[in-house]
Amino acid sequence: GSFEDIRPCIVCCRCLDDSFTGRKGLSCSVNPAVGREGEIFPLTKIKKVMVIGAGPAGLQASLAARERGHNVSLVERGNSIGGQLNLASLPPYKSDVAKLIKFYKRQLEKSDIKVSLDIEATPDMIAKANIESVIVATGSYPLIPDLPGVKNEGVLSALDIISGKKETGDSIIIVGGGMIGCETAEMLAGKGKKVIVLEMLDRIASDVGPSNRWVLLMRLKKAGVRLESRARVIEIMEREVRVQRDRGVEVFVGDTIVIAVGMRPENNLAGKLRGLVSDVNVIGDAGSPRRIKEAVEEGYLTGMRL
């Protein structure tokens, strides 16, 4: 009868993708114990642990460390848990991701982990708390390329669009055709916008797994999104984007320019803690921006190995 303890499937199909690409054994984005049920993590001593950041990596690390018997506190500078899971659940066909946030919220409520929201963790605060192990899971922020015109007024980040913080014109050029760029394009096309996606690589959505990539591309084409690969942006102007192609320079015109070229680790705090705390661990996007599976897995393994 403990249905709240069942981890929800978020239909990411990572289990299938890993098997297609040759990974040995079964895996799951939301259940990091799958495939490693027989692993033993010997506990040496109970520690005072602080986790910084309540995204998927930090949430899973907190629960794993507490399961081991450590005294755990979780600090989040925002006013809610979930981190970028909150944004990941907003694009079309991604609402199941929100179920994972609800799962973690229930698990925290059932635990005695001390959760502090709206608090910015500082080295001084951590030192005064006599913390023995710190897990830095502070996430990532949008990568802004060094391009002429990238700071123009009409240039927005994809996360601004997904979150609803910023509005666009009727025609949009998205610089970056990975998962985030394509999901942003689908959101905008669903609102009747005219969208062009520019990707410098040979393949659009190259970071999307094979189980989902084909259907994502099919939906984008059906929605009228124009997909342009091998298009390296060299300059952004007021309503234009100049692109270097094999055949020469090409110009694309749009009301709004959206940048979706990836994420950058947010890990400044980790460097400040070196030498201040004996054990500092950097996990999830704070180490290297990737997908939900890697964040959850690193959180689990870090918490269990403390």
Side-chain angles (χ1 to χ4, degrees):
S2 301
F3 296 109
E4 70 276 8
D5 293 329
I6 300 175
R7 293 173 184 264
C9 174
I10 59 173
V11 202
C12 67
C13 295
R14 187 64 183 268
C15 49
L16 296 175
D17 290 343
D18 282 352
S19 63
F20 291 159
T21 53
R23 184 186 188 278
K24 293 182 180 180
L26 187 64
S27 66
C28 176
S29 286
V30 301
N31 190 348
V34 168
R36 51 170 55 92
E37 293 87 351
E39 289 188 25
I40 299 174
F41 302 94
L43 179 63
T44 54
K45 60 171 270 188
I46 294 176
K47 299 178 182 178
K48 195 172 183 181
V49 178
M50 180 176 287
V51 181
I52 314 298
L59 290 167
Q60 186 59 62
S62 299
L63 293 169
R66 185 65 195 103
E67 181 183 338
R68 300 275 282 152
H70 297 301
N71 297 315
V72 182
S73 58
L74 174 61
V75 178
E76 165 60 42
R77 66 182 177 187
N79 59 12
S80 62
I81 69 165
Q84 292 193 30
L85 291 177
N86 292 288
L87 293 178
S89 67
L90 297 179
Y93 305 98
K94 297 291 290 289
S95 59
D96 283 325
V97 174
K99 296 177 183 178
L100 186 58
I101 303 173
K102 292 181 181 179
F103 168 80
Y104 279 126
K105 184 178 180 180
R106 294 191 198 103
Q107 298 308 303
L108 286 177
E109 290 170 349
K110 292 175 63 175
S111 75
D112 60 356
I113 295 171
K114 181 183 177 182
V115 180
S116 301
L117 301 178
D118 286 317
I119 291 181
E120 183 84 36
T122 65
D124 185 57
M125 179 187 81
I126 294 169
K128 288 180 179 179
N130 295 317
I131 300 298
E132 296 170 86
S133 291
V134 173
I135 300 176
V136 179
T138 43
S140 57
Y141 61 94
L143 171 64
I144 304 300
D146 185 15
L147 288 172
V150 76
K151 295 183 180 180
N152 291 348
E153 185 177 347
V155 180
L156 308 175
S157 79
L159 297 193
D160 287 333
I161 307 302
I162 294 173
S163 64
K165 291 180 179 179
K166 298 289 180 67
E167 294 293 329
T168 69
D170 292 327
S171 59
I172 299 97
I173 300 172
I174 298 179
V175 179
M179 177 186 289
I180 295 177
C182 288
E183 290 180 350
T184 305
E186 188 170 21
M187 285 187 75
L188 292 169
K191 297 178 180 179
K193 308 291 186 179
K194 181 180 178 181
V195 185
I196 301 173
V197 176
L198 304 177
E199 170 57 50
M200 67 182 294
L201 300 178
D202 294 344
R203 282 163 54 91
I204 300 289
S206 62
D207 58 344
V208 178
S211 302
N212 284 326
R213 181 177 180 271
W214 69 273
V215 71
L216 172 61
L217 294 178
M218 182 179 68
R219 292 198 309 261
L220 289 172
K221 291 175 182 177
K222 187 175 180 180
V225 176
R226 181 178 171 184
L227 304 174
E228 296 282 346
S229 60
R230 298 183 182 179
R232 183 172 63 87
V233 175
I234 56 176
E235 185 178 8
I236 297 174
M237 293 171 281
E238 186 176 350
R239 294 185 66 251
E240 297 180 351
V241 176
R242 291 172 59 84
V243 170
Q244 181 67 54
R245 311 294 290 268
D246 293 339
R247 56 185 175 270
V249 176
E250 191 171 344
V251 177
F252 294 86
V253 179
D255 298 325
T256 307
I257 316 300
V258 177
I259 304 297
V261 297
M263 305 294 287
R264 174 169 287 173
E266 174 64 79
N267 54 19
N268 291 333
L269 179 62
K272 298 176 182 178
L273 296 176
R274 306 289 183 188
L276 188 65
V277 180
S278 60
D279 183 37
V280 179
N281 305 271
V282 181
I283 63 173
D285 277 11
S288 176
R290 286 151 295 163
R291 296 171 63 184
I292 293 173
K293 178 180 184 292
E294 285 74 23
V296 171
E297 186 172 66
E298 286 184 5
Y300 173 78
L301 291 175
T302 301
M304 295 299 281
R305 288 170 177 166
L306 287 182

